[in-house]
Amino acid sequence: MAFNSAVITFPGSNCDRDMAVALEKVSGTAPHRVWHGDSDLPAGLDFIAVPGGFSYGDYLRCGAIASRSPIMQAVIAAAEKGVPVLGVCNGFQVLTESGLLPGALLRNAGLNFVCREVGLEVVNAQSLFTSAYEAGQVVRIPVAHHDGNYFADEDTLNRLEGEGRVAFRYAEEVNGSARAIAGVLNDAGNVLGMMPHPERAIEATHGGTDGRGLFESAIRGLVGA
């Protein structure tokens, strides 16, 4: 069975092609490319990716305007029906702004743009997105963001930790994120937001393959099901 996925593009997205290439290379099937102004998603999707970039030039707040784009109502509806949604970097910001994930992404501690490969600990290896990894495994994934400092109140942080919804944690200081959180899941486990870019770590010739496991996890779990 072919893997049926879609990548959303907003004005200012700059990682949508990288995401599309990653999905095609790992799954063997090119994803649908969906424009932010569309009101409907392709039928029968197995997976939706909200990519990185600077949607709407990060005007107001990163992801704030994109979260109100027409297509996001369809993404929210699909997520509520159980369709897996991955938001990376600016995509993570869009998912928090749209209410699909808790918390917010603030300016990095030190107010610097961070662009480098970082160590990332796999905290939950039992999710749809992380089953190819081992709990406690440290992978190397690139980051490139100015507003990746994850914030939530203490009750929310405790709930995320207690419910196993912290998917990834930074293994080094990167941006000041609360409890070094790099990626979180929604309560149903079908929505993941993360600041690091797994789509940039799928080929050895581009520096590493540690991000490939995330896509392999989802494809194996969905196509196998």
Side-chain angles (χ1 to χ4, degrees):
M1 183 175 73
F3 185 68
N4 190 17
S5 63
V7 177
I8 312 298
T9 298
F10 302 97
S13 295
N14 65 8
C15 301
D16 47 336
R17 184 181 181 279
D18 291 349
M19 183 67 74
V21 168
L23 285 166
E24 182 172 6
K25 282 186 176 294
V26 180
S27 73
T29 304
H32 300 276
R33 305 297 298 274
V34 179
W35 184 237
H36 77 112
D38 295 343
S39 56
D40 297 308
L41 289 163
L45 287 179
D46 298 311
F47 189 92
I48 301 167
V50 186
F54 302 91
S55 58
Y56 291 92
D58 286 344
Y59 187 64
L60 296 182
R61 294 184 307 277
C62 298
I65 298 178
S67 71
R68 272 67 177 174
S69 288
I71 197 59
M72 284 308 298
Q73 293 306 309
V75 172
I76 292 168
E80 290 174 345
K81 292 177 182 177
V83 177
V85 177
L86 169 66
V88 172
C89 199
N90 187 226
F92 187 7
Q93 296 160 344
V94 173
L95 296 184
T96 60
E97 288 284 347
S98 67
L100 281 173
L101 290 172
L105 284 307
L106 309 180
R107 293 285 171 88
N108 294 345
L111 304 181
N112 292 318
F113 188 90
V114 179
C115 185
R116 67 174 191 267
E117 187 180 88
V118 302
L120 203 63
E121 179 192 355
V122 180
V123 180
N124 179 349
Q126 297 181 325
S127 79
L128 172 70
F129 303 93
T130 57
S131 62
Y133 301 112
E134 298 291 333
Q137 181 180 352
V138 175
V139 296
R140 303 290 297 179
I141 305 287
V143 298
H145 58 254
H146 189 268
D147 297 66
N149 181 355
Y150 184 75
F151 172 83
D153 61 60
E154 284 299 307
D155 287 344
T156 299
L157 293 170
N158 290 337
R159 186 169 70 253
L160 291 172
E161 299 266 21
E163 296 175 354
R165 291 168 55 191
V166 176
F168 297 103
R169 199 186 311 274
Y170 296 112
E172 58 193 82
E173 175 52 42
V174 176
N175 53 31
S177 286
R179 304 187 189 181
I181 289 174
V184 298
L185 297 155
N186 69 336
D187 55 1
N190 68 305
V191 178
L192 169 66
M194 59 188 297
M195 290 308 297
H197 287 267
E199 77 280 8
R200 296 182 182 178
I202 63 161
E203 296 182 276
T205 52
H206 289 175
T209 60
D210 283 358
R212 196 177 184 93
L214 187 145
F215 299 102
E216 290 174 343
S217 297
I219 293 165
R220 182 175 60 213
L222 292 165
V223 175

